Amino acid sequence: AVGLAATVGIGATSGSAAAVEVEEPAQWTEEMAAEIERTEENTAPYLDEDPTQIAEEAGYWVWDTWPLRNRDGSIAVIDGWQIIFSLVADKSHPAIEVPGDRHNYARVGYFYSRTGKSEGPNGWQFGGEVFDEDAFLGNQTWAGSAMYDQDEEQIYHFYTAADALPEARQRLALAKGATVETGPQDVTVTESESHHILAEADGEMYEQLEDSSGIITAFRDPWYFKHPETGEDWMIFEGNTPTENDNPNSPLNYNGNIGAAKATNEDLTEWELKPPIFEAVGVSQQTERPHFVFHEDKWYLFFITHEFTYAPQLWSDGGRFEKEGEPPGPEALHGFAADGLYDSEMEPLNGSSLVVANPEKAPFQTYSWLAMPHGKDSIVESFVNFQDVDTLGLPGDELKEAFGGTLAPSLKVDIDGTDTSITTELKDGQFPASIGARSRGNGNN
Ligand code: FRU
């Protein structure tokens, strides 16, 4: 384990009041995982209508999605337009035979809308891919986050530069210099000017590919944020903690963590790796797309994880490779409440950390939830994964048809201290700025 107590100064003249205390990473324990249970509060409604296919005309699949946000984390509205970025793949690509193949051809695409919703003539319009095919780093681009600097009028695209599968070595990357051009009918996100690698797994705090026998070793999904107390530029991301893992079925091989890094220059092209803030060793190999929602002095840490990435001893048959038992938890969004960036005592929401689960009759319905603040609620969006699970396991075209590949209806989730509950299913993929001014009433809508 890493992360001995230490103080990270933010410049010679700043006092300790403006410094970030590095603590031991918080732990996702087996005891917490044993508490996981679907309840009325955490189970998403069954999707019984086909959601709007936002990239239908262009023929693209859509999955992990993030909004363009200002430096302070609020959603950017530029001349009345909102912009979202998604991982997209050309549905007709000859090498994509089953939906899982899309990861090797993932690109970042963008959508714009005046309403910030999927449906209707003013719903999300597909603008195209954001990076030139020869410009981005890696073989394909995986998830990230996007920050708009209002003064510089440029987008900072944080993304994962991933090499080709099966190993898919991942690095954290930044593309700079894109601008947003708005017109009465449309929006253009221009090509970025430069691409930079910001961080790579160091082998000490973050496991490198060579040392891992896990399932797709992670160093991905950079999520930028301005530290609300110190004003520093930070990011968190998905990593793995180095462990002794010579036996691939060992719980120690299920070693997901959530990493942190701090920018050391104003251009945000240089970053220093910090110890992880969170570890799931012996519980789950993947803690994907980690992000924070700042709400009432608390730091709410959210991440997503799959059934198949839970450690083998937690399955009902004691080994996931048997594929016969039940996993300890569903495909889900998990959350913890913390008092700061590092808080080794952060508390699992709802006792078990389970915040949004797919319904039992459609366990793979949606995935890749992202929580965004909205008054006393959070708005949680995700994408439609498999619409009809009965067809799961079928090869080729049938499996392709079962894959939804568009935004799922967003959910409103009420947060009250360490309790959450899903209060409303919005009609379609919606983002907080589309729901009007932030209101702090106590009603559900
Ligand atoms: C989550 C995820 C991310 C990754 C992307 C790859 O759905 O696994 O962690 O960046 O998908 O497609």
Side-chain angles (χ1 to χ4, degrees), residues 169-190:
R169 176 186 61 134
Q170 300 143 35
R171 295 171 295 165
L172 308 182
L174 169 68
K176 288 188 66 172
T179 60
V180 179
E181 288 167 12
T182 60
Q185 304 298 338
D186 54 15
V187 171
T188 305
V189 171
T190 65

Side-chain angles (χ1 to χ4, degrees), residues 213-226:
S213 31
I215 319 155
I216 307 215
T217 306
F219 198 74
R220 63 175 182 267
D221 304 349
W223 190 82
Y224 167 86
F225 68 101
K226 186 180 154 88

Side-chain angles (χ1 to χ4, degrees), residues 63-64 87 103 142-143 220-221 238 288 304 367-368:
W63 65 106
D64 298 8
L87 296 186
H103 297 293
W142 284 357
R220 63 175 182 267
D221 304 349
E238 179 195 357
E288 303 187 296
I304 54 175
Y367 192 62
S368 212

